[in-house]
Amino acid sequence: MKRPVFAANWKMNHGPTEARAFLRTFLSRYKKRTDRTVIIIPPAISVTTVAAGLARRTDILLGVQNIHSQPKGAFTGEASAAMAFDAGARIALIGHSERRHVFGETDAATALKCRLALDNDLAPIVCVGETIDQRNAGSTEETILRQLRAALAPVSADEFSRILVAYEPVWAIGTGRNATPDDAAKEHAVLRAELGIRCGSTKVAAGIPILYGGSVNASNAAGLLAASGVDGLLVGGASLDATTWSDLVST
Ligand code: PGA
């Protein structure tokens, strides 16, 4: 049994003041545990604030929601992988559904970002997921495998032990409608088999955390975590309240 991973994706919520208030409550409720990994992924503007707040809590990891696909340059409004590392992040979401569907992020961009994350000592969480139309058309697996293969194209076999994957069906994100544990188990198995083929080792693939995301809350978390091949949860809405989140990570 792997240590479950609980990742809080705050999206565009919690500026520095709210982030500090969140940490005050969360850190008083959640004491260090070695049987789980907790990751907080604030908006870029709050990363250094959260880094400072976690200075004594090295058990909790810090992530960024996005990095730019180029290492540096004239890209107003963007932040690079190297800057994210400098600010204290050790994890980067790559290809989150909102990046893909709201900001038009392509598979090719996810590959560049994945490479830059690894080159800058950020562990990528490669996010994949099908839309409701793709699901209804029976192309769930084709979609998530295409996204996975594209993002991992520039990753060498020996780097697979540094990555994480998140299966987040687009129709489940922020909708209150989550995949069933059986649905999640099925797609996680598909993803894990592909990871094994890509890196040439079922043992390495077995060790890659594959998180489920999409309308996870304190009531469905335990059922989803108990599903075969679900190694953790990537949580948006239910990670915003420090009390709810401390209950959820204690699942
Ligand atoms: P949600 O978001 O938990 O609010 O559905 C999950 C995510 O987008 O990562």
Side-chain angles (χ1 to χ4, degrees):
M1 178 67 192
K2 271 178 253 171
R3 304 202 289 189
V5 177
F6 294 86
N9 173 15
W10 286 355
K11 309 193 182 194
M12 200 171 73
N13 296 284
H14 293 345
T17 305
E18 285 173 353
R20 269 189 294 271
F22 177 102
L23 288 181
R24 263 195 303 279
T25 304
F26 177 60
L27 298 182
S28 71
R29 292 177 61 98
Y30 174 73
K31 298 300 173 194
K32 179 176 176 175
R33 292 176 63 157
T34 52
D35 62 346
R36 59 208 52 225
T37 301
V38 173
I39 305 171
I40 297 183
I41 311 177
I45 201 94
S46 299
V47 168
T48 51
T49 300
V50 175
L54 294 179
R56 289 160 191 274
R57 290 297 300 267
T58 49
D59 58 308
I60 300 173
L61 298 172
L62 176 59
V64 287
Q65 298 173 9
N66 181 40
I67 51 174
H68 191 55
S69 56
Q70 296 298 319
K72 61 183 199 171
F75 300 108
T76 301
E78 296 291 316
S80 70
M83 292 171 184
F85 181 87
D86 183 26
R90 296 295 176 264
I91 309 268
L93 291 181
I94 304 287
H96 185 274
S97 149
E98 286 143 23
R99 299 300 317 169
R100 293 179 190 270
H101 297 287
V102 182
F103 298 100
E105 186 162 310
T106 61
D107 284 343
T110 64
L112 293 169
K113 292 179 181 198
C114 214
R115 185 65 259 154
L116 283 168
L118 289 166
D119 289 344
N120 288 281
D121 292 327
L122 301 172
I125 302 182
V126 177
C127 304
V128 301
E130 80 287 3
T131 63
I132 193 66
D133 289 347
Q134 288 164 328
R135 184 176 186 80
N136 291 339
S139 54
T140 294
E141 284 157 23
E142 178 194 323
T143 303
I144 63 177
L145 288 177
R146 190 200 73 234
Q147 292 170 336
L148 187 72
R149 286 181 190 131
L152 297 181
V155 178
S156 61
D158 63 325
E159 292 173 316
F160 272 62
S161 58
R162 296 169 55 198
I163 67 164
L164 299 87
V165 172
Y167 170 58
E168 296 202 300
V170 180
W171 49 268
I173 296 179
T175 59
R177 193 180 151 209
N178 60 284
T180 64
D182 284 352
D183 285 335
K186 180 165 170 256
E187 307 314 341
H188 282 223
V190 167
L191 293 167
R192 200 177 304 282
E194 180 66 18
L195 290 167
I197 294 167
R198 297 277 127 195
C199 73
S201 162
T202 48
K203 186 157 172 267
V204 171
I208 297 175
I210 306 183
L211 319 187
Y212 168 79
S215 295
V216 173
N217 57 41
S219 350
N220 61 24
L224 286 160
L225 263 185
S228 163
V230 175
D231 306 313
L233 301 169
L234 177 53
V235 185
S239 73
L240 293 177
D241 176 75
T243 304
T244 309
W245 179 239
S246 64
D247 290 346
L248 210 154
V249 299
S250 304
T251 301

